[in-house]
Amino acid sequence: MILVLICCLYACQTAKKEGGSNVSPELVQQSIKKIDVHAHFKYSRDYLLDFFKKWNMQAVLVDVSIADSAGVNRSWNEYLAHSGTQPDLYFLCTSLIGVDIDATDFAEKEIERLKNEIEAGALMVKVWKNFGMVTKDASGEFIQIDDVRLQPIWEFLKDRNIPVMAHIGEPIQAWRPLNDKNNPHYGYYSEHPEYHAFQHPEIPSYETIINARDRWIENNPELKILGAHLGSMSHDVEMVAQRLDRFPNMYVEPAARFGDLVGQDSEKVKAFFIEYQDRILFGTDYGNSVVQDGKSPNELKNEVHALEKDYDRLWRYVSTTDSIYERGQENVGLKLPEKVLHKFYYRNAIDFLGLEAD
């Protein structure tokens, strides 16, 4: 593998000297290291080691806290166990939810838990759309991310220099009628109507949730924040750009929102990537949720084949001018400069997470 990478790098350097005309997309793809900062590979797979090596990639395994009638559901233990099987491939992100926020020792208990999970390897903490859309306090009010009862936790994370991945809100289409099958979110809200806010007038408005998110970022300028899914503003890169201009501590990643990007003018999106090339990280939302033994050999074969196609499609979108079809949207790729691809796929994640580059 090392020899392949050396050959790839040599070919890229040679091509640069010759004007770059002979560089194949395959050589560039192999030569650029990658970190998928938003992955959900909950369980190990026999194929994953070779797959990640082929893609010259590592991943952040992101925990999510979801409250249901049985309590708070998490996958932290599964991610911790999986990362231990290949510690050179995986990093960890823990999570935070607002259940029991009215308790006087809420912040203290959460800080103690987070402290233990950071010591176990967590480099980041995720907050989910529970804030603003699902979880309520004792008074029956939806808990927004800028709630003052959460502030001691942000202070703790700032002191530890631990970033927060923030999936606050949903795409704006969640507050719109679900009547267009070409909508990039039609499939998700058809399968998860509980998050289709249009059907739930009790859920606060999109603007209410995004404004609370903005106040939270503004009130915590020393807290590094990664806006998951392009900060729930994926329908309009200009809206994302406005926040990046306003908040120097905010970064974004496009996991599961590439369809929204493909649906916008490619030149406009390309200009956005180039302008904010130091603030956009690569993320996908890809993963698995079933143990390997729960899949047949043929299902596993199909699974890795689909994963290969998914990562390849995203690569072609950002690195070529190929025709791309993503979640009902069709357009041409961005063909970003190699320097921008390197930052998007690798360098920005290294800097954001405080890691040492290889």
Side-chain angles (χ1 to χ4, degrees):
M1 183 63 190
I2 293 174
L3 180 59
V4 171
L5 291 177
I6 291 173
C7 291
C8 292
L9 290 169
Y10 176 77
C12 290
Q13 291 299 321
T14 300
K16 284 178 183 177
K17 292 177 183 178
E18 297 172 354
S21 59
N22 296 323
V23 182
S24 73
E26 292 78 14
L27 285 177
V28 176
Q29 186 273 317
Q30 292 170 22
S31 69
I32 292 179
K33 286 185 65 67
K34 305 167 192 69
I35 296 178
D36 184 342
V37 298
H38 192 156
H40 296 289
F41 294 101
K42 186 174 177 181
Y43 299 108
S44 63
R45 294 285 191 267
D46 289 341
Y47 65 72
L48 278 176
L49 176 59
D50 288 339
F51 180 85
F52 272 78
K53 285 186 175 180
K54 175 184 176 182
W55 276 88
N56 199 9
M57 186 166 63
Q58 297 165 290
V60 180
L61 305 181
V62 179
D63 183 35
V64 179
S65 292
I66 302 175
D68 58 23
S69 58
V72 176
N73 255 321
R74 300 184 64 208
S75 301
W76 169 255
N77 290 332
E78 288 84 355
Y79 287 126
L80 183 63
H82 186 193
S83 68
T85 65
Q86 297 291 341
D88 56 328
L89 293 185
Y90 303 121
F91 307 103
L92 288 166
C93 173
T94 182
S95 60
L96 172 70
I97 195 171
V99 172
D100 295 329
I101 197 171
D102 296 280
T104 56
D105 60 350
F106 167 78
E108 180 183 345
K109 284 185 175 179
E110 289 302 306
I111 288 171
E112 186 61 28
R113 176 184 63 81
L114 291 172
K115 186 184 300 180
N116 292 334
E117 294 176 1
I118 290 167
E119 290 175 357
L123 300 179
M124 188 163 52
V125 176
K126 180 172 184 178
V127 289
W128 204 45
K129 58 192 176 190
N130 298 82
F131 290 105
M133 295 186 70
V134 178
T135 310
K136 300 178 182 180
D137 64 14
S139 70
E141 294 293 320
F142 287 91
I143 303 166
Q144 300 294 343
I145 193 63
D146 67 333
D147 194 298
V148 295
R149 291 169 288 188
L150 299 169
Q151 192 58 36
I153 300 172
W154 313 138
E155 299 297 335
F156 163 75
L157 295 176
K158 280 187 280 188
D159 290 344
R160 289 292 188 98
N161 197 30
I162 299 295
V164 176
M165 173 182 278
H167 175 178
I168 300 301
E170 280 285 85
I172 197 168
Q173 289 94 336
W175 283 263
R176 305 288 186 266
L178 196 62
N179 54 12
D180 179 7
K181 291 187 177 181
N182 291 321
N183 181 322
H185 305 288
Y186 181 88
Y188 180 79
Y189 294 125
S190 296
E191 297 173 6
H192 300 278
E194 69 272 26
Y195 298 123
H196 185 213
F198 182 79
Q199 301 182 48
H200 304 282
E202 72 279 8
I203 292 178
S205 69
Y206 175 81
E207 292 76 15
T208 296
I209 294 170
I210 294 300
N211 288 340
R213 190 276 315 277
D214 288 351
R215 287 193 300 271
W216 169 59
I217 299 176
E218 188 170 39
N219 292 338
N220 292 279
E222 297 176 0
L223 181 65
K224 287 198 296 186
I225 294 169
L226 180 60
H229 312 296
L230 290 167
S232 294
M233 302 173 291
S234 52
H235 65 287
D236 184 359
V237 292
E238 289 184 5
M239 190 175 179
V240 183
Q242 289 169 3
R243 290 343 191 263
L244 293 176
D245 289 340
R246 181 178 168 188
F247 306 123
N249 58 322
M250 183 181 183
Y251 300 72
V252 293
E253 58 85 18
R257 302 294 183 266
F258 280 89
D260 298 83
L261 294 177
V262 173
Q264 298 174 63
D265 179 73
S266 289
E267 288 302 316
K268 179 179 177 180
V269 176
K270 180 176 182 177
F272 167 74
F273 268 83
I274 291 175
E275 176 69 21
Y276 300 98
Q277 60 186 270
D278 298 317
R279 310 274 295 282
I280 310 172
L281 287 64
F282 173 64
T284 67
D285 224 4
Y286 297 153
N288 61 52
S289 59
V290 178
V291 296
Q292 179 167 278
D293 289 347
K295 295 270 189 175
S296 70
N298 193 55
E299 286 174 325
L300 291 170
K301 182 180 178 180
N302 291 337
E303 184 179 88
V304 68
H305 179 66
L307 198 61
E308 180 79 38
K309 288 179 64 177
D310 286 340
Y311 275 105
D312 181 68
R313 186 175 60 256
L314 301 186
W315 168 259
R316 288 190 297 107
Y317 173 60
V318 296
S319 69
T320 76
T321 55
D322 292 354
S323 294
I324 302 294
Y325 186 82
E326 177 75 7
R327 293 199 176 193
Q329 312 301 301
E330 191 168 7
N331 214 324
V332 296
L334 308 180
K335 200 174 184 180
L336 297 173
E338 188 176 335
K339 179 185 75 170
V340 178
L341 291 172
H342 173 68
K343 291 181 178 180
F344 172 57
Y345 271 102
Y346 184 68
R347 185 73 242 184
N348 292 346
I350 289 292
D351 294 341
F352 185 81
L353 294 172
L355 301 170
E356 290 187 11
D358 290 343

